[in-house]
Amino acid sequence: MPELPEVEVTRLSFAHAIADSVVVAAHLGKPLRWPLGVSTSSLKGQTIFGVRRRGKYLLIDFSEGLLLVHLGMSGSLTFKLNPSPPGQHDHFDLVTNRGTLRLNDPRRFGAVVFAQDEDDPVAQKLLGHLGAEPLAQDFDFARFSDAMACCNAPVKSVLLAGKVVVGVGNIYASEVLFAAGIRPTVKASGLSRPRLLRLQQAIRAVLAFAVQKGGSTLRDFSDALGQAGHFQQDAMVYGREGQPCKKCDAKIKLLRQGQRSTFFCPQCQKY
DNA sequence: CACGGATCCTGATGGC
DNA sequence: TGCCATCAGGATCCGT
Protein backbone atom coordinates (compact mmCIF):
# COMPACT_ATOMS: atom_id res chain seq x y z
CA MET A 1 0.00 0.00 0.00
CA PRO A 2 2.43 2.65 1.03
CA GLU A 3 4.97 4.39 -1.12
CA LEU A 4 6.44 7.75 -0.20
CA PRO A 5 3.27 9.78 -0.85
CA GLU A 6 1.12 7.49 1.30
CA VAL A 7 3.66 7.53 4.10
CA GLU A 8 3.90 11.32 3.94
CA VAL A 9 0.12 11.76 3.85
CA THR A 10 -0.13 9.46 6.86
CA ARG A 11 2.53 11.46 8.70
CA LEU A 12 0.81 14.76 7.99
CA SER A 13 -2.51 13.39 9.19
CA PHE A 14 -1.41 12.66 12.78
CA ALA A 15 1.94 14.38 13.41
CA HIS A 16 0.38 17.52 14.80
CA ALA A 17 -2.12 15.65 16.97
CA ILE A 18 0.47 13.39 18.59
CA ALA A 19 3.14 16.06 19.13
CA ASP A 20 3.78 16.89 22.80
CA SER A 21 1.77 13.91 24.00
CA VAL A 22 2.99 11.51 26.68
CA VAL A 23 3.15 7.75 26.23
CA VAL A 24 0.79 5.95 28.60
CA ALA A 25 1.41 2.41 27.36
CA ALA A 26 2.49 0.38 24.35
CA HIS A 27 1.23 -3.01 23.20
CA LEU A 28 2.60 -5.54 20.74
CA GLY A 29 0.66 -8.08 18.68
CA LYS A 30 2.20 -10.75 16.49
CA PRO A 31 5.86 -10.40 15.51
CA LEU A 32 6.61 -7.91 12.76
CA ARG A 33 9.61 -7.95 10.44
CA TRP A 34 12.05 -7.01 13.20
CA PRO A 35 11.72 -6.98 16.99
CA LEU A 36 10.99 -3.69 18.73
CA GLY A 37 14.34 -3.86 20.48
CA VAL A 38 13.19 -2.63 23.90
CA SER A 39 10.46 -3.53 26.36
CA THR A 40 7.20 -1.74 25.78
CA SER A 41 7.22 -0.55 29.38
CA SER A 42 10.39 1.45 28.76
CA LEU A 43 8.45 3.72 26.42
CA LYS A 44 6.02 4.67 29.17
CA GLY A 45 6.25 8.25 30.42
CA GLN A 46 8.22 9.49 27.41
CA THR A 47 7.18 12.68 25.65
CA ILE A 48 6.65 12.56 21.88
CA PHE A 49 8.26 15.56 20.23
CA GLY A 50 7.11 14.99 16.66
CA VAL A 51 7.08 12.76 13.59
CA ARG A 52 9.55 12.95 10.71
CA ARG A 53 9.92 10.86 7.57
CA ARG A 54 12.98 9.39 5.85
CA GLY A 55 12.12 7.53 2.66
CA LYS A 56 9.25 5.24 3.59
CA TYR A 57 10.18 5.23 7.28
CA LEU A 58 8.39 7.34 9.86
CA LEU A 59 10.59 8.55 12.71
CA ILE A 60 8.75 9.25 15.94
CA ASP A 61 10.94 11.34 18.22
CA PHE A 62 10.78 10.71 21.95
CA SER A 63 12.37 12.58 24.81
CA GLU A 64 14.84 9.70 24.81
CA GLY A 65 15.23 7.78 21.59
CA LEU A 66 13.01 7.33 18.58
CA LEU A 67 10.77 4.79 16.93
CA LEU A 68 11.30 3.80 13.30
CA VAL A 69 7.99 2.75 11.76
CA HIS A 70 7.75 1.05 8.38
CA LEU A 71 4.41 0.07 6.82
CA GLY A 72 5.78 -2.67 4.56
CA MET A 73 3.37 -3.78 1.85
CA SER A 74 0.12 -3.84 3.76
CA GLY A 75 0.54 -1.63 6.81
CA SER A 76 -1.52 1.37 7.80
CA LEU A 77 -1.68 3.63 10.82
CA THR A 78 -4.65 5.06 12.65
CA PHE A 79 -4.69 7.65 15.40
CA LYS A 80 -7.82 7.59 17.55
CA LEU A 81 -8.84 8.88 20.93
CA ASN A 82 -10.86 5.78 21.83
CA PRO A 83 -9.75 2.86 19.67
CA SER A 84 -11.60 -0.45 19.61
CA PRO A 85 -9.84 -3.48 21.13
CA PRO A 86 -6.96 -4.67 18.88
CA GLY A 87 -8.07 -6.92 16.00
CA GLN A 88 -6.14 -9.85 14.57
CA HIS A 89 -3.99 -7.65 12.34
CA ASP A 90 -3.30 -4.88 14.85
CA HIS A 91 0.30 -5.48 15.89
CA PHE A 92 1.38 -2.32 17.64
CA ASP A 93 -0.42 0.23 19.81
CA LEU A 94 1.22 3.38 21.13
CA VAL A 95 -1.20 4.71 23.71
CA THR A 96 -0.73 8.40 24.57
CA ASN A 97 -2.71 10.88 26.59
CA ARG A 98 -3.83 12.45 23.29
CA GLY A 99 -4.84 9.27 21.43
CA THR A 100 -3.65 5.86 20.32
CA LEU A 101 -1.42 5.31 17.32
CA ARG A 102 -2.14 1.83 15.93
CA LEU A 103 -0.34 -0.19 13.27
CA ASN A 104 -2.55 -2.58 11.31
CA ASP A 105 -0.54 -4.86 9.02
CA PRO A 106 -2.00 -8.14 7.71
CA ARG A 107 1.17 -9.33 5.98
CA ARG A 108 3.50 -8.17 8.74
CA PHE A 109 6.26 -6.97 6.41
CA GLY A 110 6.17 -3.76 8.38
CA ALA A 111 8.21 -2.96 11.45
CA VAL A 112 8.44 -0.81 14.57
CA VAL A 113 11.99 -0.50 15.85
CA PHE A 114 13.38 1.50 18.74
CA ALA A 115 16.73 3.30 18.45
CA GLN A 116 18.61 5.58 20.85
CA ASP A 117 19.23 8.10 18.06
CA GLU A 118 19.81 8.13 14.32
CA ASP A 119 23.46 7.13 14.76
CA ASP A 120 22.43 4.03 16.66
CA PRO A 121 23.60 0.99 14.64
CA VAL A 122 20.03 -0.25 14.70
CA ALA A 123 18.89 2.92 12.92
CA GLN A 124 21.90 3.04 10.63
CA LYS A 125 21.21 -0.46 9.40
CA LEU A 126 17.80 0.71 8.18
CA LEU A 127 18.51 4.30 7.17
CA GLY A 128 22.24 4.42 6.50
CA HIS A 129 22.29 3.43 2.86
CA LEU A 130 19.18 5.30 1.72
CA GLY A 131 19.35 7.57 -1.31
CA ALA A 132 18.29 11.20 -1.67
CA GLU A 133 14.95 12.56 -0.49
CA PRO A 134 13.09 13.38 -3.71
CA LEU A 135 11.02 16.20 -2.19
CA ALA A 136 13.90 17.81 -0.31
CA GLN A 137 16.42 20.45 -1.29
CA ASP A 138 19.34 18.04 -1.30
CA PHE A 139 17.87 16.23 -4.31
CA ASP A 140 20.15 18.07 -6.69
CA PHE A 141 20.80 17.12 -10.28
CA ALA A 142 24.57 16.67 -10.10
CA ARG A 143 24.35 13.99 -7.43
CA PHE A 144 21.34 12.36 -9.06
CA SER A 145 23.01 12.02 -12.46
CA ASP A 146 26.30 10.85 -10.93
CA ALA A 147 24.51 8.17 -8.96
CA MET A 148 22.48 6.99 -11.94
CA ALA A 149 25.58 6.80 -14.13
CA CYS A 150 26.97 4.04 -11.92
CA CYS A 151 24.02 1.66 -12.31
CA ASN A 152 23.91 -0.80 -15.18
CA ALA A 153 20.57 -2.25 -14.11
CA PRO A 154 17.29 -1.23 -15.81
CA VAL A 155 16.19 2.24 -14.74
CA LYS A 156 12.97 0.84 -13.23
CA SER A 157 14.94 -1.47 -10.92
CA VAL A 158 17.30 1.34 -9.95
CA LEU A 159 14.41 3.58 -8.95
CA LEU A 160 12.85 0.78 -6.88
CA ALA A 161 16.10 -0.09 -5.12
CA GLY A 162 16.17 3.24 -3.28
CA LYS A 163 19.93 3.68 -3.30
CA VAL A 164 19.84 6.66 -5.65
CA VAL A 165 16.54 8.16 -4.58
CA VAL A 166 14.09 6.92 -1.95
CA GLY A 167 10.32 6.63 -1.91
CA VAL A 168 9.62 5.53 -5.49
CA GLY A 169 7.72 2.27 -5.16
CA ASN A 170 6.27 -0.01 -7.79
CA ILE A 171 3.29 2.15 -8.76
CA TYR A 172 5.11 5.43 -8.90
CA ALA A 173 8.10 3.93 -10.74
CA SER A 174 5.80 3.18 -13.68
CA GLU A 175 4.11 6.57 -13.41
CA VAL A 176 7.37 8.48 -13.15
CA LEU A 177 8.91 6.74 -16.17
CA PHE A 178 5.79 7.43 -18.21
CA ALA A 179 5.91 11.10 -17.22
CA ALA A 180 9.56 11.22 -18.27
CA GLY A 181 8.96 9.31 -21.52
CA ILE A 182 11.58 6.71 -20.64
CA ARG A 183 11.29 2.98 -21.25
CA PRO A 184 11.61 1.02 -17.98
CA THR A 185 14.08 -1.47 -19.45
CA VAL A 186 16.74 1.10 -20.37
CA LYS A 187 19.98 0.88 -18.38
CA ALA A 188 20.21 3.74 -15.88
CA SER A 189 23.82 4.35 -16.91
CA GLY A 190 22.77 4.82 -20.52
CA LEU A 191 20.48 7.80 -19.94
CA SER A 192 21.51 11.07 -21.58
CA ARG A 193 21.68 14.29 -19.61
CA PRO A 194 18.38 15.69 -20.96
CA ARG A 195 16.64 12.40 -20.13
CA LEU A 196 18.07 12.39 -16.63
CA LEU A 197 16.81 15.94 -16.20
CA ARG A 198 13.32 14.94 -17.25
CA LEU A 199 13.46 11.89 -15.00
CA GLN A 200 14.47 13.89 -11.96
CA GLN A 201 11.73 16.43 -12.61
CA ALA A 202 9.19 13.65 -13.12
CA ILE A 203 10.11 12.03 -9.80
CA ARG A 204 9.58 15.31 -7.98
CA ALA A 205 6.41 16.22 -9.84
CA VAL A 206 4.65 12.85 -9.65
CA LEU A 207 5.39 12.29 -5.96
CA ALA A 208 4.47 15.86 -4.99
CA PHE A 209 1.24 15.60 -6.96
CA ALA A 210 0.36 12.30 -5.26
CA VAL A 211 0.97 13.81 -1.81
CA GLN A 212 -1.23 16.73 -2.75
CA LYS A 213 -3.94 14.29 -3.85
CA GLY A 214 -3.85 12.49 -0.52
CA GLY A 215 -2.06 9.34 -1.65
CA SER A 216 -3.04 6.33 -3.73
CA THR A 217 -6.36 4.52 -3.55
CA LEU A 218 -5.29 1.43 -5.49
CA ARG A 219 -6.78 -0.66 -2.74
CA ASP A 220 -8.32 1.58 -0.17
CA PHE A 221 -5.62 3.78 1.24
CA SER A 222 -6.64 6.25 3.86
CA ASP A 223 -4.63 8.32 6.30
CA ALA A 224 -4.42 7.95 10.07
CA LEU A 225 -7.68 9.86 10.50
CA GLY A 226 -9.53 7.77 7.93
CA GLN A 227 -9.40 10.21 5.00
CA ALA A 228 -9.26 8.45 1.59
CA GLY A 229 -6.76 9.33 -1.15
CA HIS A 230 -7.48 10.07 -4.81
CA PHE A 231 -4.34 9.32 -6.82
CA GLN A 232 -5.62 6.22 -8.56
CA GLN A 233 -7.99 8.15 -10.80
CA ASP A 234 -4.92 9.90 -12.14
CA ALA A 235 -2.75 6.82 -12.85
CA MET A 236 -1.57 7.06 -16.45
CA VAL A 237 -0.20 3.52 -16.87
CA TYR A 238 -0.21 1.51 -13.63
CA GLY A 239 -2.83 -1.25 -13.67
CA ARG A 240 -3.93 -0.28 -17.19
CA GLU A 241 -2.57 -3.17 -19.30
CA GLY A 242 -4.36 -3.38 -22.65
CA GLN A 243 -6.18 -0.09 -22.13
CA PRO A 244 -5.49 2.90 -24.39
CA CYS A 245 -2.75 5.32 -23.39
CA LYS A 246 -4.31 8.53 -22.15
CA LYS A 247 -1.92 10.53 -24.32
CA CYS A 248 -1.58 8.62 -27.60
CA ASP A 249 -4.17 5.81 -27.52
CA ALA A 250 -1.60 3.02 -27.96
CA LYS A 251 -2.22 -0.08 -25.84
CA ILE A 252 -0.49 -0.01 -22.44
CA LYS A 253 1.90 -2.93 -22.02
CA LEU A 254 2.81 -5.00 -18.97
CA LEU A 255 6.19 -6.55 -18.33
CA ARG A 256 7.91 -8.30 -15.44
CA GLN A 257 11.12 -7.00 -13.95
CA GLY A 258 12.43 -8.91 -10.96
CA GLN A 259 9.04 -10.43 -10.13
CA ARG A 260 7.36 -7.00 -10.15
CA SER A 261 4.91 -5.64 -12.71
CA THR A 262 5.89 -2.66 -14.81
CA PHE A 263 3.40 -0.80 -17.00
CA PHE A 264 4.41 1.45 -19.87
CA CYS A 265 3.24 2.94 -23.14
CA PRO A 266 5.26 1.54 -26.08
CA GLN A 267 4.60 4.70 -28.06
CA CYS A 268 5.26 7.42 -25.47
CA GLN A 269 8.24 5.54 -23.95
CA LYS A 270 10.31 4.38 -26.89
CA TYR A 271 13.77 4.39 -25.27
C1' DC B 1 30.34 -5.30 -5.42
C1' DA B 2 26.46 -5.13 -8.37
C1' DC B 3 22.84 -7.68 -9.92
C1' DG B 4 18.72 -11.00 -10.01
C1' DG B 5 16.05 -14.09 -7.44
C1' DA B 6 14.12 -16.08 -3.28
C1' DT B 7 11.98 -14.83 0.78
C1' DC B 8 9.09 -13.21 4.86
C1' DC B 9 3.22 -13.31 5.49
C1' DT B 10 -1.83 -12.94 4.68
C1' DG B 11 -5.71 -11.81 1.71
C1' DA B 12 -8.04 -11.16 -2.69
C1' DT B 13 -9.06 -12.91 -7.04
C1' DG B 14 -9.84 -15.98 -10.84
C1' DG B 15 -9.99 -20.64 -13.08
C1' DC B 16 -11.71 -25.24 -12.74
C1' DT C 1 -18.92 -23.78 -2.67
C1' DG C 2 -14.18 -25.46 -2.41
C1' DC C 3 -9.51 -25.94 -3.85
C1' DC C 4 -5.48 -24.34 -6.03
C1' DA C 5 -2.45 -21.10 -8.27
C1' DT C 6 -1.23 -16.44 -8.83
C1' DC C 7 -0.57 -11.89 -7.50
C1' DA C 8 -0.12 -7.66 -4.24
C1' DG C 9 1.97 -0.99 -2.89
C1' DG C 10 8.65 -3.50 0.33
C1' DA C 11 13.22 -4.41 1.17
C1' DT C 12 16.68 -7.57 2.94
C1' DC C 13 19.57 -11.42 2.28
C1' DC C 14 22.01 -14.74 -0.45
C1' DG C 15 24.22 -16.79 -4.38
C1' DT C 16 26.66 -15.79 -8.74
Side-chain angles (χ1 to χ4, degrees):
Chain A
M1 180 188 308
E3 301 183 32
L4 184 145
E6 291 74 35
V7 176
E8 178 64 5
V9 167
T10 297
R11 185 185 75 82
L12 291 169
S13 72
F14 78 93
H16 183 74
I18 205 173
D20 302 322
S21 67
V22 176
V23 177
V24 175
H27 306 293
L28 288 167
K30 290 186 194 170
L32 293 161
R33 179 162 194 175
W34 298 296
L36 179 61
V38 290
S39 68
T40 51
S41 60
S42 69
L43 301 177
K44 224 187 282 184
Q46 294 224 39
T47 299
I48 295 175
F49 290 149
V51 186
R52 294 174 291 146
R53 179 187 57 73
R54 177 75 176 98
K56 295 169 192 165
Y57 287 92
L58 289 178
L59 281 57
I60 303 178
D61 287 307
F62 292 96
S63 34
E64 286 187 43
L66 72 159
L67 277 186
L68 307 176
V69 179
H70 198 290
L71 302 180
M73 290 273 265
S74 57
S76 62
L77 292 172
T78 54
F79 188 68
K80 289 181 182 170
L81 205 50
N82 295 304
S84 50
Q88 62 167 339
H89 299 310
D90 295 326
H91 302 304
F92 182 74
D93 272 7
L94 189 66
V95 185
T96 79
N97 62 335
R98 309 258 298 258
T100 295
L101 185 69
R102 170 171 291 176
L103 173 65
N104 180 277
D105 186 5
R107 291 176 74 178
R108 292 188 282 128
F109 290 172
V112 182
V113 176
F114 181 85
Q116 292 298 334
D117 52 49
E118 281 181 76
D119 297 325
D120 189 326
V122 172
Q124 276 302 303
K125 185 189 161 196
L126 303 180
L127 306 176
H129 58 92
L130 295 183
E133 277 295 328
L135 301 182
Q137 297 289 347
D138 78 329
F139 188 42
D140 68 274
F141 181 70
R143 264 188 280 180
F144 176 68
S145 67
D146 282 355
M148 293 294 281
C150 302
C151 307
N152 292 315
V155 59
K156 157 80 184 315
S157 312
V158 173
L159 291 179
L160 270 189
K163 287 198 74 175
V164 175
V165 57
V166 294
V168 182
N170 204 42
I171 295 178
Y172 295 107
S174 285
E175 294 299 312
V176 159
L177 289 168
F178 176 82
I182 294 169
R183 191 160 289 224
T185 47
V186 177
K187 278 185 183 186
S189 56
L191 290 167
S192 64
R193 182 183 168 86
R195 284 175 170 272
L196 283 169
L197 258 174
R198 269 196 290 161
L199 179 56
Q200 190 208 15
Q201 286 169 354
I203 291 169
R204 267 206 280 249
V206 169
L207 294 183
F209 178 72
V211 172
Q212 184 198 315
K213 283 284 189 172
S216 164
T217 56
L218 245 196
R219 278 271 192 279
D220 50 359
F221 171 75
S222 54
D223 65 28
L225 305 182
Q227 201 68 36
H230 300 286
F231 183 79
Q232 186 214 359
Q233 294 143 320
D234 302 298
M236 298 295 280
V237 289
Y238 190 86
R240 301 193 64 245
E241 184 198 7
Q243 297 177 48
C245 172
K246 293 181 179 179
K247 272 191 190 163
C248 77
D249 246 32
K251 273 193 178 179
I252 299 302
K253 287 197 170 181
L254 163 67
L255 60 87
R256 295 244 150 217
Q257 294 178 288
Q259 285 291 57
R260 317 295 303 273
S261 313
T262 305
F263 298 85
F264 71 101
C265 170
Q267 196 65 36
C268 297
Q269 299 164 264
K270 285 212 166 220
Y271 295 100

